[in-house]
Amino acid sequence: MRRVWEALEGRRLPAMAVDLEAFDRNVAAAAGLVASRPRGSGPGGMTLRLATKSIRVPELIRRVLKFGAPYRGLMTYSAEETAFLASEGFDDFLLAYPTVQKSDVEAVVLVHQSGKTVRLMIDSVDHLRILSALVGMLDQPLELVIDIDMSLRPALGLMHLGVRRSPVRSARDVVALYDECKHLPNLRIVGLMGYEAQIAGLGDRSPFHKAMNPVFQGVRAASVRSVSKLRHEAAEAVRAAGHTLTLFNGGGSGSLNTTVEESWLTEATVGSGLLCSHLFSYYSNIRYEPAFWFALQVARSSDAGYATCLGGGYIASGAPGWDKVPVPEYPPGLSLIPDEGCGEVQTPLQSKGDELSVGSRVLFRPSKAGEPAERFNEYLLVENGEVTGSAKTYRGMGKAFL
Ligand SMILES: Cc1ncc(COP(=O)(O)O)c(C=O)c1O
């Protein structure tokens, strides 16, 4: 971290910097988890699909795929993004979030007709009906994947622990959708996705809600069992019904160690862990190295022990809270001021360490990995303690997708 701080001396701030060595180590560590998968599992071995929403910088996406096996393919978050990445030379897309917007479907169909591999996500007969009407006649049917809800529903289903996305809850629901799709010549279901958000996205060592950490540990442990059971049942049911199952995606950065244990999955997803925003340092089951920070310049000082930086209000999405706010990390001893947090234009800090002089710089770690790319045109690339280049974000390329 200190080396990144030093590398930014004299740079225009705010600046986002990626420590490429740490990034590459995270890429290798995630690949290592897949390699450690129990022997004999999965007919073709498991691959890793990169969640582009958590990177949003084509050059870094390219760098991950260059690592080679087990990395293969991209989990994209919007149809227009998928089309953009296809135009940048990428292939093998799983668009993980359903869309029924005409322009989106047209964009995906163009990618499909260009000969690239692209699959749309569905979770209902409505999706099938609307997509079939929008897609029209095709030489080759458009490929679809069913999103199965992996939430934990204790207390006889009265509690819902997980995300609210898909109504598909059982192997029977999955087979019913496959059966329905058989009547639609322009669509073909090729697989399943079951994302265990309450494991992958729920840190159990968070300094922001310490009292909840033991509860989250319990939720995570119970979910590992229920998720594994449902995914296994779904895979068996699809095969037993004589349907195709060429792709079964699960997991995310925060669950990789347990996701790779399931031999019926063909692939796991990873993204946030590679840049390791601060939320991804709060997991007891998995460790990534912080690999990116943004630097702000101290522009003024209102009182002794206080310094105010220009910029900084890059708050993450999700349930609002202090865990969605960037954390000042270097120099040490700095804290945000509860009344102001990271501000729209200015971010005041209190220092318990050395006084910060006007003109000095402070490194912050963002809460989530992908969203900061919406605030920077480029990321500076740091190697051996020096800025060796820069990489444009989607935003820097003139693109804002969602
Ligand atoms: C469908 C899906 N899979 C996987 C992930 C995990 O992504 P990451 O590894 O970047 O946290 C997410 C994150 O929200 C997701 O929505």
Side-chain angles (χ1 to χ4, degrees):
M1 175 169 55
R2 192 190 156 89
R3 272 152 55 101
V4 170
W5 183 81
E6 282 166 358
L8 293 179
E9 166 139 39
R11 294 276 159 180
R12 182 233 174 241
L13 304 182
M16 179 68 88
V18 180
D19 176 345
L20 283 182
E21 286 139 313
F23 182 76
D24 289 348
R25 281 192 291 272
N26 288 331
V27 171
L33 278 172
V34 175
S36 71
R37 211 179 181 214
R39 268 178 194 283
S41 56
M46 186 181 255
T47 56
L48 270 179
R49 188 172 289 279
L50 178 62
T52 58
K53 73 169 184 64
S54 304
I55 308 282
R56 307 189 195 199
V57 178
E59 193 173 324
L60 291 178
I61 295 172
R62 212 164 268 128
R63 191 176 179 97
V64 176
L65 293 179
K66 254 198 184 153
F67 184 92
Y71 287 94
R72 188 180 150 178
L74 301 177
M75 173 177 280
T76 52
Y77 63 93
S78 102
E80 288 174 6
E81 181 216 11
T82 307
F84 169 68
L85 289 173
S87 75
E88 287 285 309
F90 294 95
D91 198 351
D92 193 342
F93 304 104
L94 176 62
L95 174 48
Y97 311 93
T99 174
V100 290
Q101 186 161 218
K102 188 166 178 281
S103 58
D104 277 350
V105 177
E106 285 168 356
V108 168
V109 165
L110 283 179
V111 175
H112 169 72
Q113 283 174 328
S114 75
K116 298 208 175 199
T117 303
V118 58
R119 299 105 180 176
L120 276 180
M121 197 59 59
I122 59 141
D123 64 28
S124 64
V125 174
D126 277 351
H127 283 154
L128 286 175
R129 185 177 48 76
I130 298 169
L131 289 179
S132 182
L134 289 176
V135 158
M137 294 292 288
L138 294 173
D139 289 343
Q140 293 293 328
L142 187 64
E143 295 189 342
L144 306 176
V145 168
I146 301 173
D147 185 359
I148 320 174
D149 179 39
M150 286 292 139
S151 304
L152 187 65
R153 298 171 163 266
L156 300 170
L158 291 173
M159 281 175 81
H160 179 108
L161 303 169
V163 283
R164 293 213 181 254
R165 294 187 186 176
S166 171
V168 178
R169 302 264 148 83
S170 66
R172 190 187 300 171
D173 293 346
V174 166
V175 173
L177 275 180
Y178 263 100
D179 287 342
E180 196 68 35
C181 190
K182 274 200 310 205
H183 311 298
L184 304 170
N186 52 1
L187 302 177
R188 183 155 60 106
I189 299 176
V190 295
L192 308 173
M193 180 185 81
Y195 171 53
E196 61 270 47
Q198 74 280 17
I199 307 173
L202 191 65
D204 57 356
R205 280 204 184 146
S206 172
F208 296 97
H209 18 69
K210 287 187 181 147
M212 290 303 288
N213 285 338
V215 178
F216 291 167
Q217 260 167 31
V219 170
R220 291 171 56 100
S223 298
V224 168
R225 291 188 291 275
S226 75
V227 162
S228 164
K229 182 169 174 289
L230 176 52
R231 285 198 292 226
H232 190 204
E233 281 169 8
E236 295 282 303
V238 169
R239 291 215 175 85
H243 294 301
T244 325
L245 185 64
T246 51
L247 180 156
F248 198 164
N249 176 286
S253 299
S255 70
L256 214 50
N257 63 311
T258 48
T259 308
V260 299
E261 297 285 322
E262 292 180 40
S263 59
W264 39 92
L265 296 181
T266 64
E267 56 178 57
T269 302
V270 71
S272 315
L274 306 183
L275 284 167
C276 190
S277 55
H278 75 74
L279 280 183
F280 282 80
S281 285
Y282 312 141
Y283 287 76
S284 61
N285 57 313
I286 206 152
R287 187 158 298 183
Y288 298 101
E289 239 183 279
F292 80 146
W293 293 264
F294 64 83
L296 302 181
Q297 188 175 48
V298 175
R300 61 209 306 196
S301 172
S302 61
D303 303 87
Y306 287 83
T308 300
C309 302
L310 201 53
Y314 320 134
I315 313 301
S317 58
W322 281 102
D323 60 337
K324 303 298 172 354
V325 177
V327 172
E329 284 205 336
Y330 197 86
L334 298 171
S335 55
L336 294 167
I337 293 160
D339 282 347
E340 294 194 53
C342 282
E344 183 182 7
V345 176
Q346 301 188 109
T347 297
L349 296 168
Q350 193 171 10
S351 174
K352 292 204 183 69
D354 294 342
E355 197 83 0
L356 286 178
S357 54
V358 169
S360 64
R361 63 195 176 284
V362 176
L363 279 191
F364 291 73
R365 228 164 123 208
S367 169
K368 286 193 172 178
E371 290 165 337
E374 304 296 340
R375 306 302 295 259
F376 291 87
N377 289 319
E378 61 177 20
Y379 284 5
L380 299 178
L381 306 177
V382 176
E383 278 170 293
N384 298 317
E386 276 177 39
V387 175
T388 54
S390 66
K392 278 197 164 42
T393 58
Y394 287 174
R395 183 204 159 109
M397 298 171 93
K399 303 287 174 189
F401 297 110
L402 278 183

